[in-house]
Amino acid sequence: MAKNKNNQAIWSTRIKSNTSSLFQKVGNSIDIDKRLYKEDIKCSIAHVEMLFKQKIISFKIKNKIIYGLNKIEKEISNKKFEFNKKYEDIHMNIENRLYQIIGEECGYIHTARSRNDQIITDFKIWIKSSTKKINIIIDKLIVTILKLAEKNIYTIMPGFTHLKNAQAISFAHYLMAYVEMFSRDKKRFTNNLYSLDENPLGVAALSGTSFNIDRNYTTKKLGFKKPTNNSIDTVSDRDFVLDFLYSASVSSMHISRIAEDLIIWNSEGFNLINLSDKIVTGSSIMPQKKNPDLLEYLRGKSGGSYGNLFSMLTILKGLPLSYFKDLQDDKEIVFKSYDVLINCLKILDEIIKNISPNKKRMLELGNSGYITATDLADYLVKNNSMPFRKAYQKTAAIVNLAERKKKNLDQLSLEELRKIEPRLSNDVLKVFDLKHSVDSKKSYGGTSFDNIKKMIMKYRNKK
Ligand code: ARG
């Protein structure tokens, strides 16, 4: 609880007894929201500059307050500031210290504002800059993935549906799928930057203020696009928090899917990729083990991220307008999601740098499971003028034949193939070649080598 010179709570004229010690213990948020100190000071400086411009406070008072705030910022940055749970949150801790530094005139700082508009302004500014940091880290990760893709354009592997061999693909094409996912994540975060770009400062507690303030001035100073339209909505709105948490959840979901792919591919059953010793851990009992713990860590972390999104949705469900203490938890939730996401993105970057494809095994697995069956069906449509459904049936019959003979498709002789479709010529045998199969998928977005090269170039040039 903030105290004035006589060591009384700011609201002590009205509230006679001290806050119960239990509530003082749980009701404060300083350990969490002290992270917003820079934003809070920036916001207060813009506010007092506006109050001065509007002739609500004098030049001298404005300067005194700004002097005090700058001093406080230095103290906090240099870890010389003593945060006190008694003063609840970052706003009151700073105001209390300002009182110690400049005295009674500190009281002007809270003219025409409330902690309700103050906190959302701080928080929006924080989310803006943190979103930019996330996008920079995603960009780095994209570059790392592009580098690995560039080296593996001609690395052929099976593409899966239902985790069964489906069609042959380039490993680079697979990697480029992740690039798409992370590029969408960036867009999703960036969209939130556009929708949150409205300045809450000046709506005060919930109804605005009778002072002749200039919200456009603080809007400009604080780098927002426009002031918010409705004071009640402004102090109640946490949509921007949800959008941030949702974006973080989707990104963490992408990370978990990649992690799972890599875990499966690293298993003995698949053995498609090797993880360098830097990113595996051992077992306390089984001496042979090299476990992909880090990948499992990434896969697991999405759970917490979804939990944070659902915590916030639940806090907001049915909450009447406008401000309630319930909303205070938004910071802790967002900080948790942010910290974990940043960590996971960095870990994934490190992991991508430390994986190598087992090319021989990829090709070997790709050559099993009749993976070129669709290529054969396509060939029949193109060269033996039959409808796709008919070609599908013929190809299925050829696959059955191969299965009976315990052969792969490319091990069948032309004579054997002709038993099912007599018109087939020697030319058909090329469709069983995986490289040919991959490179034949020239439709936009397909796995042909040219397509992949162009896509890698496109993303490389964006960087
Ligand atoms: N620490 C508070 C929060 O984060 C600031 C707003 C307090 N407003 C109030 N009316 N108690 O939500």
Side-chain angles (χ1 to χ4, degrees):
M1 208 184 308
K3 311 258 172 161
N4 64 16
K5 192 168 59 178
N6 307 316
N7 205 26
Q8 286 172 323
I10 275 174
W11 40 76
S12 67
T13 320
R14 170 82 179 129
I15 299 174
K16 301 293 178 214
S17 63
N18 285 334
T19 313
S20 96
S21 58
L22 190 59
F23 184 68
Q24 265 194 30
K25 214 163 124 193
V26 298
N28 80 85
S29 58
I30 189 62
D31 284 343
I32 308 289
D33 57 32
K34 65 181 176 197
R35 201 163 161 171
L36 295 174
Y37 80 92
K38 278 202 171 125
E39 290 78 6
D40 197 67
I41 288 172
K42 181 177 169 162
C43 183
S44 288
I45 290 177
H47 182 65
V48 293
E49 278 174 341
M50 182 278 294
L51 291 178
F52 163 67
K53 185 187 87 70
Q54 295 301 98
K55 305 192 170 47
I56 298 166
I57 61 170
S58 72
F59 183 69
K60 196 176 129 234
I61 290 172
K62 175 204 76 159
N63 282 350
K64 255 185 149 174
I65 291 177
I66 292 178
Y67 159 79
L69 289 171
N70 284 329
K71 191 171 155 66
I72 291 169
E73 180 165 359
K74 271 194 207 109
E75 286 176 359
I76 302 178
S77 299
N78 296 332
K79 308 209 172 343
K80 297 258 161 63
F81 189 94
E82 236 181 83
F83 290 104
N84 197 328
K85 288 191 170 121
K86 270 197 309 197
Y87 306 130
E88 276 196 20
D89 55 26
I90 187 64
H91 322 300
M92 292 311 217
N93 268 271
I94 289 177
E95 192 175 323
N96 182 69
R97 177 73 186 120
L98 188 63
Y99 196 93
Q100 289 170 354
I101 298 171
I102 68 168
E104 193 78 21
E105 281 158 336
C106 151
Y108 282 101
I109 196 176
H110 217 53
T111 315
R113 79 168 186 193
S114 149
R115 282 188 295 165
N116 297 355
D117 57 343
Q118 209 181 338
I119 187 61
I120 324 166
T121 314
D122 294 0
F123 202 21
K124 277 190 171 183
I125 296 173
W126 185 90
I127 288 191
K128 270 184 172 195
S129 65
S130 302
T131 297
K132 286 173 193 155
K133 283 183 201 151
I134 290 173
N135 280 351
I136 290 172
I137 294 181
I138 294 182
D139 265 337
K140 282 193 185 139
L141 175 61
I142 289 177
V143 169
T144 303
I145 302 174
L146 286 174
K147 279 188 187 153
L148 188 62
E150 247 165 4
K151 283 196 222 147
N152 285 286
I153 294 169
Y154 297 100
T155 305
I156 310 286
M157 66 175 288
F160 309 102
T161 59
H162 310 271
L163 217 51
K164 302 275 287 177
N165 278 14
Q167 292 174 343
I169 54 163
S170 149
F171 180 43
H173 197 50
Y174 212 114
L175 293 168
M176 291 305 286
Y178 302 146
V179 169
E180 293 295 325
M181 287 148 84
F182 287 119
S183 302
R184 283 199 299 276
D185 289 350
K186 272 178 59 189
K187 238 189 251 171
R188 202 170 290 109
F189 275 115
T190 307
N191 285 343
N192 188 32
L193 288 185
Y194 293 122
S195 52
L196 69 67
D197 210 10
E198 297 183 354
N199 177 21
L201 196 61
V203 303
L206 83 160
S207 68
T209 173
S210 60
F211 287 97
N212 176 31
I213 61 171
D214 181 352
R215 293 190 63 208
N216 287 318
Y217 180 87
T218 51
T219 294
K220 216 164 155 201
K221 277 258 156 189
L222 295 173
F224 287 100
K225 206 163 151 224
K226 63 186 277 295
T228 52
N229 288 330
N230 180 293
S231 56
I232 301 171
D233 170 55
T234 304
V235 294
S236 325
D237 169 35
R238 293 297 183 277
D239 293 0
F240 65 98
V241 174
L242 291 175
D243 288 344
F244 180 88
L245 292 171
Y246 174 67
S247 304
S249 294
V250 175
S251 195
S252 73
M253 175 272 287
H254 286 154
I255 295 172
S256 80
R257 294 185 74 175
I258 294 163
E260 176 65 350
D261 268 339
L262 299 180
I263 291 167
I264 293 172
W265 296 355
N266 180 242
S267 67
E268 275 81 4
F270 278 75
N271 191 22
L272 296 181
I273 56 159
N274 302 310
L275 307 180
S276 93
D277 281 2
K278 263 174 133 178
I279 53 165
V280 292
T281 54
S283 150
S284 61
I285 175 170
M286 297 168 279
Q288 85 283 13
K289 291 282 247 153
K290 285 188 176 184
N291 291 329
D293 277 52
L294 264 184
L295 286 164
E296 291 161 21
Y297 172 92
L298 294 184
R299 184 177 55 189
K301 284 296 165 197
S302 51
S305 198
Y306 298 179
N308 294 336
L309 171 63
F310 276 88
S311 296
M312 198 62 222
L313 278 168
T314 313
I315 286 169
L316 290 167
K317 180 189 173 295
L319 192 71
L321 306 185
S322 58
Y323 179 84
F324 289 88
K325 185 82 166 174
D326 313 42
L327 294 170
Q328 179 167 285
D329 278 346
D330 58 358
K331 266 83 62 195
E332 186 172 11
I333 291 170
V334 163
F335 293 158
K336 271 198 293 191
S337 270
Y338 171 81
D339 290 340
V340 170
L341 181 63
I342 292 279
N343 227 356
C344 288
L345 287 166
K346 287 182 178 167
I347 292 174
L348 182 60
D349 188 80
E350 183 74 6
I351 288 175
I352 303 282
K353 284 178 181 148
N354 280 283
I355 60 172
S356 53
N358 188 348
K359 296 184 187 179
K360 215 175 125 228
R361 172 67 187 145
M362 281 183 167
L363 198 61
E364 185 184 284
L365 188 63
N367 269 313
S368 65
Y370 314 108
I371 204 165
T372 48
T374 323
D375 302 85
L376 177 58
D378 290 352
Y379 178 90
L380 291 171
V381 172
K382 287 185 214 159
N383 297 279
N384 295 81
S385 50
M386 60 176 89
F388 182 77
R389 277 287 157 251
K390 177 110 181 130
Y392 178 102
Q393 281 166 3
K394 292 257 177 204
T395 307
I398 291 173
V399 170
N400 287 340
L401 176 74
E403 198 174 47
R404 272 200 310 278
K405 303 218 168 227
K406 298 198 175 12
K407 287 180 173 180
N408 286 334
L409 287 177
D410 65 337
Q411 290 164 335
L412 290 173
S413 66
L414 187 60
E415 288 66 49
E416 286 171 319
L417 292 168
R418 277 191 175 144
K419 277 190 199 142
I420 310 284
E421 175 46 58
R423 288 177 298 164
L424 282 173
S425 69
N426 217 25
D427 180 56
V428 68
L429 300 177
K430 69 175 186 237
V431 303
F432 302 125
D433 174 54
L434 293 195
K435 250 198 175 129
H436 176 275
S437 166
V438 169
D439 206 27
S440 70
K441 308 291 164 47
K442 295 194 192 302
S443 56
Y444 185 82
T447 187
S448 77
F449 303 125
D450 253 17
N451 273 356
I452 299 171
K453 282 180 207 162
K454 277 187 202 145
M455 225 20 112
I456 293 176
M457 279 306 283
K458 189 181 134 185
Y459 278 103
R460 271 250 177 249
N461 293 337
K462 265 197 204 168
K463 305 281 142 239

PDB file of all heavy atoms in Angstrom, residues 27 29 33 88-91 114-117 119 238 323-331, ligand 1:
ATOM      1  N   GLY A  27      -2.003 -10.027  -2.152  1.00  0.00           N
ATOM      2  CA  GLY A  27      -2.632  -9.061  -3.070  1.00  0.00           C
ATOM      3  C   GLY A  27      -1.636  -8.230  -3.865  1.00  0.00           C
ATOM      4  O   GLY A  27      -2.015  -7.549  -4.811  1.00  0.00           O
ATOM      5  N   SER A  29       1.534  -7.387  -6.398  1.00  0.00           N
ATOM      6  CA  SER A  29       1.976  -8.002  -7.657  1.00  0.00           C
ATOM      7  C   SER A  29       3.364  -7.513  -8.037  1.00  0.00           C
ATOM      8  O   SER A  29       3.799  -7.684  -9.162  1.00  0.00           O
ATOM      9  CB  SER A  29       0.987  -7.644  -8.779  1.00  0.00           C
ATOM     10  OG  SER A  29       0.895  -6.234  -8.903  1.00  0.00           O
ATOM     11  N   ASP A  33       5.114  -7.442 -11.640  1.00  0.00           N
ATOM     12  CA  ASP A  33       5.000  -6.293 -12.558  1.00  0.00           C
ATOM     13  C   ASP A  33       6.173  -5.316 -12.466  1.00  0.00           C
ATOM     14  O   ASP A  33       6.228  -4.351 -13.228  1.00  0.00           O
ATOM     15  CB  ASP A  33       3.637  -5.585 -12.456  1.00  0.00           C
ATOM     16  CG  ASP A  33       3.308  -5.089 -11.068  1.00  0.00           C
ATOM     17  OD1 ASP A  33       4.231  -4.728 -10.329  1.00  0.00           O
ATOM     18  OD2 ASP A  33       2.104  -5.030 -10.738  1.00  0.00           O
ATOM     19  N   GLU A  88       2.167  -2.603  -3.090  1.00  0.00           N
ATOM     20  CA  GLU A  88       1.397  -3.404  -4.061  1.00  0.00           C
ATOM     21  C   GLU A  88       2.040  -3.664  -5.409  1.00  0.00           C
ATOM     22  O   GLU A  88       2.365  -4.787  -5.749  1.00  0.00           O
ATOM     23  CB  GLU A  88       0.014  -2.759  -4.328  1.00  0.00           C
ATOM     24  CG  GLU A  88      -1.023  -3.128  -3.319  1.00  0.00           C
ATOM     25  CD  GLU A  88      -2.431  -2.813  -3.794  1.00  0.00           C
ATOM     26  OE1 GLU A  88      -2.697  -2.651  -5.005  1.00  0.00           O
ATOM     27  OE2 GLU A  88      -3.281  -2.728  -2.917  1.00  0.00           O
ATOM     28  N   ASP A  89       2.162  -2.596  -6.193  1.00  0.00           N
ATOM     29  CA  ASP A  89       2.560  -2.847  -7.585  1.00  0.00           C
ATOM     30  C   ASP A  89       3.608  -1.845  -8.049  1.00  0.00           C
ATOM     31  O   ASP A  89       4.058  -0.988  -7.283  1.00  0.00           O
ATOM     32  CB  ASP A  89       1.331  -2.829  -8.519  1.00  0.00           C
ATOM     33  CG  ASP A  89       0.527  -1.552  -8.424  1.00  0.00           C
ATOM     34  OD1 ASP A  89       1.112  -0.499  -8.057  1.00  0.00           O
ATOM     35  OD2 ASP A  89      -0.677  -1.575  -8.715  1.00  0.00           O
ATOM     36  N   ILE A  90       3.968  -1.938  -9.306  1.00  0.00           N
ATOM     37  CA  ILE A  90       5.042  -1.093  -9.849  1.00  0.00           C
ATOM     38  C   ILE A  90       4.664   0.387  -9.798  1.00  0.00           C
ATOM     39  O   ILE A  90       5.488   1.248  -9.482  1.00  0.00           O
ATOM     40  CB  ILE A  90       5.435  -1.538 -11.291  1.00  0.00           C
ATOM     41  CG1 ILE A  90       6.661  -0.771 -11.794  1.00  0.00           C
ATOM     42  CG2 ILE A  90       4.281  -1.390 -12.283  1.00  0.00           C
ATOM     43  CD1 ILE A  90       7.917  -0.999 -11.032  1.00  0.00           C
ATOM     44  N   HIS A  91       3.369   0.671 -10.052  1.00  0.00           N
ATOM     45  CA  HIS A  91       2.949   2.090 -10.075  1.00  0.00           C
ATOM     46  C   HIS A  91       3.150   2.733  -8.703  1.00  0.00           C
ATOM     47  O   HIS A  91       3.682   3.818  -8.576  1.00  0.00           O
ATOM     48  CB  HIS A  91       1.475   2.215 -10.475  1.00  0.00           C
ATOM     49  CG  HIS A  91       1.047   1.253 -11.517  1.00  0.00           C
ATOM     50  ND1 HIS A  91       1.613   1.224 -12.762  1.00  0.00           N
ATOM     51  CD2 HIS A  91       0.118   0.256 -11.506  1.00  0.00           C
ATOM     52  CE1 HIS A  91       1.042   0.258 -13.469  1.00  0.00           C
ATOM     53  NE2 HIS A  91       0.144  -0.343 -12.725  1.00  0.00           N
ATOM     54  N   SER A 114      -5.446   6.907 -13.810  1.00  0.00           N
ATOM     55  CA  SER A 114      -5.716   5.897 -12.788  1.00  0.00           C
ATOM     56  C   SER A 114      -4.735   4.770 -13.043  1.00  0.00           C
ATOM     57  O   SER A 114      -4.150   4.672 -14.128  1.00  0.00           O
ATOM     58  CB  SER A 114      -7.156   5.411 -12.964  1.00  0.00           C
ATOM     59  OG  SER A 114      -7.297   4.071 -12.571  1.00  0.00           O
ATOM     60  N   ARG A 115      -4.581   3.900 -12.048  1.00  0.00           N
ATOM     61  CA  ARG A 115      -3.733   2.743 -12.329  1.00  0.00           C
ATOM     62  C   ARG A 115      -4.375   1.851 -13.398  1.00  0.00           C
ATOM     63  O   ARG A 115      -3.707   1.062 -14.041  1.00  0.00           O
ATOM     64  CB  ARG A 115      -3.521   1.927 -11.052  1.00  0.00           C
ATOM     65  CG  ARG A 115      -2.503   2.546 -10.123  1.00  0.00           C
ATOM     66  CD  ARG A 115      -2.205   1.594  -8.984  1.00  0.00           C
ATOM     67  NE  ARG A 115      -3.378   1.382  -8.138  1.00  0.00           N
ATOM     68  CZ  ARG A 115      -3.494   0.396  -7.259  1.00  0.00           C
ATOM     69  NH1 ARG A 115      -2.510  -0.471  -7.110  1.00  0.00           N
ATOM     70  NH2 ARG A 115      -4.569   0.271  -6.513  1.00  0.00           N
ATOM     71  N   ASN A 116      -5.708   2.021 -13.550  1.00  0.00           N
ATOM     72  CA  ASN A 116      -6.402   1.162 -14.534  1.00  0.00           C
ATOM     73  C   ASN A 116      -5.963   1.437 -15.970  1.00  0.00           C
ATOM     74  O   ASN A 116      -5.793   0.514 -16.758  1.00  0.00           O
ATOM     75  CB  ASN A 116      -7.925   1.331 -14.411  1.00  0.00           C
ATOM     76  CG  ASN A 116      -8.432   0.878 -13.059  1.00  0.00           C
ATOM     77  OD1 ASN A 116      -7.660   0.352 -12.261  1.00  0.00           O
ATOM     78  ND2 ASN A 116      -9.705   1.080 -12.793  1.00  0.00           N
ATOM     79  N   ASP A 117      -5.824   2.726 -16.310  1.00  0.00           N
ATOM     80  CA  ASP A 117      -5.343   3.012 -17.673  1.00  0.00           C
ATOM     81  C   ASP A 117      -3.821   2.891 -17.737  1.00  0.00           C
ATOM     82  O   ASP A 117      -3.246   2.494 -18.752  1.00  0.00           O
ATOM     83  CB  ASP A 117      -5.830   4.370 -18.205  1.00  0.00           C
ATOM     84  CG  ASP A 117      -5.444   5.549 -17.327  1.00  0.00           C
ATOM     85  OD1 ASP A 117      -5.080   5.337 -16.167  1.00  0.00           O
ATOM     86  OD2 ASP A 117      -5.526   6.699 -17.812  1.00  0.00           O
ATOM     87  N   ILE A 119      -1.837   0.730 -16.186  1.00  0.00           N
ATOM     88  CA  ILE A 119      -1.314  -0.642 -16.322  1.00  0.00           C
ATOM     89  C   ILE A 119      -1.480  -1.165 -17.752  1.00  0.00           C
ATOM     90  O   ILE A 119      -0.586  -1.815 -18.302  1.00  0.00           O
ATOM     91  CB  ILE A 119      -1.952  -1.622 -15.285  1.00  0.00           C
ATOM     92  CG1 ILE A 119      -1.264  -2.984 -15.340  1.00  0.00           C
ATOM     93  CG2 ILE A 119      -3.431  -1.829 -15.469  1.00  0.00           C
ATOM     94  CD1 ILE A 119       0.208  -2.960 -15.017  1.00  0.00           C
ATOM     95  N   ARG A 238      -8.897  -7.028 -22.440  1.00  0.00           N
ATOM     96  CA  ARG A 238      -7.637  -7.792 -22.440  1.00  0.00           C
ATOM     97  C   ARG A 238      -7.561  -8.665 -23.703  1.00  0.00           C
ATOM     98  O   ARG A 238      -6.881  -9.679 -23.725  1.00  0.00           O
ATOM     99  CB  ARG A 238      -7.527  -8.678 -21.193  1.00  0.00           C
ATOM    100  CG  ARG A 238      -7.392  -7.898 -19.866  1.00  0.00           C
ATOM    101  CD  ARG A 238      -6.123  -7.072 -19.784  1.00  0.00           C
ATOM    102  NE  ARG A 238      -5.969  -6.392 -18.510  1.00  0.00           N
ATOM    103  CZ  ARG A 238      -6.542  -5.230 -18.186  1.00  0.00           C
ATOM    104  NH1 ARG A 238      -7.341  -4.607 -19.046  1.00  0.00           N
ATOM    105  NH2 ARG A 238      -6.334  -4.674 -16.997  1.00  0.00           N
ATOM    106  N   TYR A 323     -12.945  -2.590 -14.562  1.00  0.00           N
ATOM    107  CA  TYR A 323     -11.719  -3.164 -13.978  1.00  0.00           C
ATOM    108  C   TYR A 323     -12.038  -4.004 -12.743  1.00  0.00           C
ATOM    109  O   TYR A 323     -12.834  -3.611 -11.897  1.00  0.00           O
ATOM    110  CB  TYR A 323     -10.706  -2.072 -13.587  1.00  0.00           C
ATOM    111  CG  TYR A 323      -9.469  -2.705 -12.958  1.00  0.00           C
ATOM    112  CD1 TYR A 323      -8.445  -3.187 -13.746  1.00  0.00           C
ATOM    113  CD2 TYR A 323      -9.387  -2.894 -11.565  1.00  0.00           C
ATOM    114  CE1 TYR A 323      -7.347  -3.835 -13.189  1.00  0.00           C
ATOM    115  CE2 TYR A 323      -8.291  -3.535 -10.997  1.00  0.00           C
ATOM    116  CZ  TYR A 323      -7.275  -4.000 -11.814  1.00  0.00           C
ATOM    117  OH  TYR A 323      -6.195  -4.646 -11.260  1.00  0.00           O
ATOM    118  N   PHE A 324     -11.377  -5.121 -12.640  1.00  0.00           N
ATOM    119  CA  PHE A 324     -11.420  -5.937 -11.426  1.00  0.00           C
ATOM    120  C   PHE A 324     -10.029  -6.486 -11.140  1.00  0.00           C
ATOM    121  O   PHE A 324      -9.233  -6.663 -12.047  1.00  0.00           O
ATOM    122  CB  PHE A 324     -12.388  -7.124 -11.598  1.00  0.00           C
ATOM    123  CG  PHE A 324     -13.823  -6.708 -11.632  1.00  0.00           C
ATOM    124  CD1 PHE A 324     -14.406  -6.357 -12.840  1.00  0.00           C
ATOM    125  CD2 PHE A 324     -14.584  -6.640 -10.480  1.00  0.00           C
ATOM    126  CE1 PHE A 324     -15.729  -5.950 -12.885  1.00  0.00           C
ATOM    127  CE2 PHE A 324     -15.915  -6.239 -10.516  1.00  0.00           C
ATOM    128  CZ  PHE A 324     -16.500  -5.883 -11.729  1.00  0.00           C
ATOM    129  N   LYS A 325      -9.810  -6.773  -9.873  1.00  0.00           N
ATOM    130  CA  LYS A 325      -8.511  -7.309  -9.442  1.00  0.00           C
ATOM    131  C   LYS A 325      -8.165  -8.608 -10.188  1.00  0.00           C
ATOM    132  O   LYS A 325      -6.990  -8.932 -10.389  1.00  0.00           O
ATOM    133  CB  LYS A 325      -8.571  -7.576  -7.934  1.00  0.00           C
ATOM    134  CG  LYS A 325      -7.271  -8.030  -7.321  1.00  0.00           C
ATOM    135  CD  LYS A 325      -6.375  -6.858  -7.018  1.00  0.00           C
ATOM    136  CE  LYS A 325      -5.244  -7.254  -6.108  1.00  0.00           C
ATOM    137  NZ  LYS A 325      -4.298  -6.133  -5.930  1.00  0.00           N
ATOM    138  N   ASP A 326      -9.214  -9.326 -10.604  1.00  0.00           N
ATOM    139  CA  ASP A 326      -8.978 -10.578 -11.347  1.00  0.00           C
ATOM    140  C   ASP A 326      -7.989 -10.359 -12.494  1.00  0.00           C
ATOM    141  O   ASP A 326      -7.206 -11.245 -12.834  1.00  0.00           O
ATOM    142  CB  ASP A 326     -10.273 -11.107 -11.985  1.00  0.00           C
ATOM    143  CG  ASP A 326     -11.470 -11.125 -11.053  1.00  0.00           C
ATOM    144  OD1 ASP A 326     -11.645 -10.142 -10.302  1.00  0.00           O
ATOM    145  OD2 ASP A 326     -12.226 -12.106 -11.101  1.00  0.00           O
ATOM    146  N   LEU A 327      -8.093  -9.166 -13.087  1.00  0.00           N
ATOM    147  CA  LEU A 327      -7.307  -8.884 -14.289  1.00  0.00           C
ATOM    148  C   LEU A 327      -5.811  -8.810 -14.005  1.00  0.00           C
ATOM    149  O   LEU A 327      -4.992  -8.936 -14.919  1.00  0.00           O
ATOM    150  CB  LEU A 327      -7.774  -7.566 -14.928  1.00  0.00           C
ATOM    151  CG  LEU A 327      -9.203  -7.590 -15.489  1.00  0.00           C
ATOM    152  CD1 LEU A 327      -9.660  -6.191 -15.868  1.00  0.00           C
ATOM    153  CD2 LEU A 327      -9.283  -8.509 -16.702  1.00  0.00           C
ATOM    154  N   GLN A 328      -5.483  -8.591 -12.737  1.00  0.00           N
ATOM    155  CA  GLN A 328      -4.073  -8.400 -12.390  1.00  0.00           C
ATOM    156  C   GLN A 328      -3.201  -9.592 -12.779  1.00  0.00           C
ATOM    157  O   GLN A 328      -2.013  -9.438 -13.046  1.00  0.00           O
ATOM    158  CB  GLN A 328      -3.956  -8.131 -10.888  1.00  0.00           C
ATOM    159  CG  GLN A 328      -2.543  -7.937 -10.411  1.00  0.00           C
ATOM    160  CD  GLN A 328      -2.482  -7.380  -9.010  1.00  0.00           C
ATOM    161  OE1 GLN A 328      -2.729  -6.202  -8.796  1.00  0.00           O
ATOM    162  NE2 GLN A 328      -2.192  -8.246  -8.057  1.00  0.00           N
ATOM    163  N   ASP A 329      -3.815 -10.785 -12.829  1.00  0.00           N
ATOM    164  CA  ASP A 329      -3.031 -11.987 -13.140  1.00  0.00           C
ATOM    165  C   ASP A 329      -2.536 -12.025 -14.583  1.00  0.00           C
ATOM    166  O   ASP A 329      -1.713 -12.884 -14.933  1.00  0.00           O
ATOM    167  CB  ASP A 329      -3.862 -13.254 -12.868  1.00  0.00           C
ATOM    168  CG  ASP A 329      -3.843 -13.622 -11.396  1.00  0.00           C
ATOM    169  OD1 ASP A 329      -3.007 -13.068 -10.671  1.00  0.00           O
ATOM    170  OD2 ASP A 329      -4.674 -14.443 -10.981  1.00  0.00           O
ATOM    171  N   ASP A 330      -3.049 -11.131 -15.414  1.00  0.00           N
ATOM    172  CA  ASP A 330      -2.683 -11.186 -16.843  1.00  0.00           C
ATOM    173  C   ASP A 330      -1.170 -11.090 -17.058  1.00  0.00           C
ATOM    174  O   ASP A 330      -0.614 -11.761 -17.932  1.00  0.00           O
ATOM    175  CB  ASP A 330      -3.433 -10.110 -17.665  1.00  0.00           C
ATOM    176  CG  ASP A 330      -3.168  -8.688 -17.172  1.00  0.00           C
ATOM    177  OD1 ASP A 330      -2.436  -8.505 -16.174  1.00  0.00           O
ATOM    178  OD2 ASP A 330      -3.712  -7.749 -17.793  1.00  0.00           O
ATOM    179  N   LYS A 331      -0.502 -10.266 -16.225  1.00  0.00           N
ATOM    180  CA  LYS A 331       0.949 -10.101 -16.434  1.00  0.00           C
ATOM    181  C   LYS A 331       1.716 -11.403 -16.202  1.00  0.00           C
ATOM    182  O   LYS A 331       2.530 -11.814 -17.025  1.00  0.00           O
ATOM    183  CB  LYS A 331       1.516  -9.011 -15.495  1.00  0.00           C
ATOM    184  CG  LYS A 331       1.579  -7.646 -16.113  1.00  0.00           C
ATOM    185  CD  LYS A 331       0.285  -6.900 -16.053  1.00  0.00           C
ATOM    186  CE  LYS A 331      -0.157  -6.636 -14.652  1.00  0.00           C
ATOM    187  NZ  LYS A 331      -1.586  -6.221 -14.619  1.00  0.00           N
TER     188      LYS A 331
HETATM  189  N1  ARG B   1      -1.614  -3.743 -10.327  1.00  0.00           N
HETATM  190  C1  ARG B   1      -2.896  -3.551 -10.939  1.00  0.00           C
HETATM  191  C2  ARG B   1      -3.107  -4.549 -12.073  1.00  0.00           C
HETATM  192  O1  ARG B   1      -2.170  -5.038 -12.532  1.00  0.00           O
HETATM  193  C3  ARG B   1      -3.007  -2.171 -11.491  1.00  0.00           C
HETATM  194  C4  ARG B   1      -4.390  -1.689 -11.579  1.00  0.00           C
HETATM  195  C5  ARG B   1      -4.954  -1.518 -10.213  1.00  0.00           C
HETATM  196  N2  ARG B   1      -6.229  -0.914 -10.224  1.00  0.00           N
HETATM  197  C6  ARG B   1      -7.089  -1.024  -9.224  1.00  0.00           C
HETATM  198  N3  ARG B   1      -8.222  -0.420  -9.367  1.00  0.00           N
HETATM  199  N4  ARG B   1      -6.802  -1.701  -8.147  1.00  0.00           N
HETATM  200  O2  ARG B   1      -4.193  -4.825 -12.481  1.00  0.00           O
END
